[in-house]
Amino acid sequence: MGSTSLIPPTAGMHHMPEPDLLQVLSPLGQRREDPDLDPWLTDITPQMLTGLHRDMTLIRRIDTECTHLQRQGELALWPPLLGQEAAQVGSALALQAEDYVFPSYRENGVAYLRGIDPLGLVRLWRGSTYAGWTPAEHNVAAQQIIIGAQALHAVGYAMGITRDGADAAAIGYFGDGATSQGDVNEAMIFAASFHAPVVFFCQNNQWAISEPVGLQAKRHIADRPWGFGIPAMRVDGNDVLAVMAATRRALERARNGGGPTFIEAVTYRMGPHTTADDPSRYRDQEEVESWRAKDPIDRLERHLESLGEDLEAVRAAATTAADEMAAQLRAGVATLEEPGPAELFDHVYTEPHHELERQREHYRLYLEQFDGPQLTAGAR
């Protein structure tokens, strides 16, 4: 894994060169040579590129459909990922089946590529379930709403991997705003101290709700992990190939005993923080348009076209698949049932727990005071 981008600087902080933005595909879709990333992309074929295009198209359609569903009153909230498709697709497809994902609330694309039904995502944000999927079935933890908490969970799991002697790695996703949270910094301390096989994947989408990244980070976020003894890469997050290569490198390093790696994927949140947010109140439209020119799907389409691929056929196939998925998603929403109060106490512990049963009984007595739902399984 010897690479200049993973070697800590020997000079003092004020003389440390800023890390390069690793890039394989330019915004115009031109393939660029990169000695750090090219060795990790030797298997890329036009067929694989078409698959990446399809995955990003499907994920964008899930995001668009769910945003519409929220606007129509079918979902309580939705955290859009528009513009971040390459960061999620590239990193998710670098994972192996035994690797474990610890997402924030925005990694809906990662969840989809790990085999989770989009309806599971919808059920969660509709309030029809207390967890959208069974983590052990997909090696994807439940989405974390508390900012940055999943970084500690990822490191803890990675330490368990080491104890078990397993050939796997953990990856924790979070945004630029989470890097100011104590949990993320504590996680990096533990990861470095215990040489944990974990990848910290930061999607720097430029905005922590309404605060720009420059307010909390006076240098690149990728500079920070070096202080914990963790090598870092700063990659173009709208370049699906660069993200895939960087994540492959980091995961291989983790599995081979190299310890943690930090990836800063520089991207942009084109939509609101959530559907409860109005980004026009705090950011300039010119900034949004400048990033629109770096769109990850457009970039890959330009590259496919330069390779002589039938772009119209590629688009048509991806659109057809997206239309079918969207129709199934909407049909599924119409069949969703609301959970009964009893389900709140299910799946908290793997075995019966007396304190939990006490709480269940206390809540049942409380509900009996009202004409509303009773605490029985399936009550609505």
Side-chain angles (χ1 to χ4, degrees), residues 4 14 17 21 77 82 116 142 159 248 261 263 299 346:
T4 55
H14 295 293
L21 185 68
L77 194 70
L82 181 63
I116 293 169
M159 291 168 62
R248 282 176 169 179
T261 302
I263 297 174
R299 182 181 307 203
D346 295 341

Side-chain angles (χ1 to χ4, degrees), residues 85-156:
E85 294 87 359
Q88 297 204 15
V89 171
S91 60
L93 293 183
L95 296 164
Q96 295 182 3
E98 62 271 17
D99 296 330
Y100 212 104
V101 176
F102 292 84
S104 73
Y105 46 80
R106 203 180 301 277
E107 277 70 51
N108 296 302
V110 175
Y112 172 74
L113 291 175
R114 294 292 278 183
I116 293 169
D117 190 325
L119 194 60
L121 301 170
V122 170
R123 290 175 67 234
L124 182 67
W125 292 102
R126 183 182 172 90
S128 298
T129 183
Y130 298 113
W133 56 86
T134 302
E137 292 180 358
H138 304 278
N139 276 10
V140 180
Q143 288 178 305
Q144 181 60 253
I145 302 299
I146 301 173
I147 305 298
Q150 69 277 9
L152 283 169
H153 306 161
V155 173

Side-chain angles (χ1 to χ4, degrees), residues 123 128-130 338-347 360 375 377-378:
R123 290 175 67 234
S128 298
T129 183
Y130 298 113
E338 302 305 311
E343 292 186 26
L344 180 64
F345 298 90
D346 295 341
H347 311 298
R360 186 197 299 268
L375 192 61

Side-chain angles (χ1 to χ4, degrees), residues 15-274:
H15 300 92
M16 183 176 69
E18 293 185 354
D20 294 331
L21 185 68
L22 299 175
Q23 185 184 83
V24 173
L25 290 181
S26 74
L28 296 179
Q30 299 167 335
R31 180 69 184 264
R32 293 177 172 175
E33 292 186 3
D34 189 290
D36 292 323
L37 301 183
D38 285 344
W40 301 93
L41 297 171
T42 56
D43 61 333
I44 299 299
T45 63
Q47 184 178 6
M48 287 185 65
L49 293 172
T50 299
L52 292 173
H53 177 274
R54 180 181 184 275
D55 288 336
M56 287 197 289
T57 301
L58 285 169
I59 288 169
R60 178 167 292 186
R61 184 59 177 274
I62 291 173
D63 190 66
T64 302
E65 205 68 28
C66 290
T67 299
H68 291 334
L69 285 168
Q70 193 282 328
R71 299 305 190 200
Q72 294 162 4
E74 296 291 344
L75 305 183
L77 194 70
W78 180 255
L81 60 82
L82 181 63
Q84 298 179 222
E85 294 87 359
Q88 297 204 15
V89 171
S91 60
L93 293 183
L95 296 164
Q96 295 182 3
E98 62 271 17
D99 296 330
Y100 212 104
V101 176
F102 292 84
S104 73
Y105 46 80
R106 203 180 301 277
E107 277 70 51
N108 296 302
V110 175
Y112 172 74
L113 291 175
R114 294 292 278 183
I116 293 169
D117 190 325
L119 194 60
L121 301 170
V122 170
R123 290 175 67 234
L124 182 67
W125 292 102
R126 183 182 172 90
S128 298
T129 183
Y130 298 113
W133 56 86
T134 302
E137 292 180 358
H138 304 278
N139 276 10
V140 180
Q143 288 178 305
Q144 181 60 253
I145 302 299
I146 301 173
I147 305 298
Q150 69 277 9
L152 283 169
H153 306 161
V155 173
Y157 188 91
M159 291 168 62
I161 290 174
T162 301
R163 285 178 175 268
D164 293 344
D167 183 20
I171 184 169
Y173 288 88
F174 47 83
D176 47 290
T179 61
S180 292
Q181 293 290 331
D183 283 3
V184 171
N185 291 272
E186 291 168 13
M188 287 195 282
I189 292 171
F190 267 85
S193 298
F194 292 94
H195 214 59
V198 63
V199 176
F200 296 105
F201 195 93
C202 173
Q203 291 180 85
N204 175 5
N205 64 18
Q206 311 301 314
W207 290 92
I209 307 183
S210 60
E211 300 295 350
V213 64
L215 183 66
Q216 62 175 333
K218 302 305 179 184
R219 297 180 60 89
H220 294 317
I221 289 176
D223 289 345
R224 294 183 179 181
W226 295 104
F228 296 96
I230 297 175
M233 291 180 279
R234 187 169 184 263
V235 63
D236 185 338
N238 285 10
D239 177 353
V240 67
L241 293 183
V243 172
M244 178 182 287
T247 311
R248 282 176 169 179
R249 289 183 60 196
L251 289 168
E252 185 69 14
R253 180 173 181 272
R255 296 190 196 100
N256 290 339
T261 302
F262 189 104
I263 297 174
E264 178 192 358
V266 182
T267 181
Y268 195 79
R269 166 171 57 79
M270 295 299 295
H273 176 71
T274 71

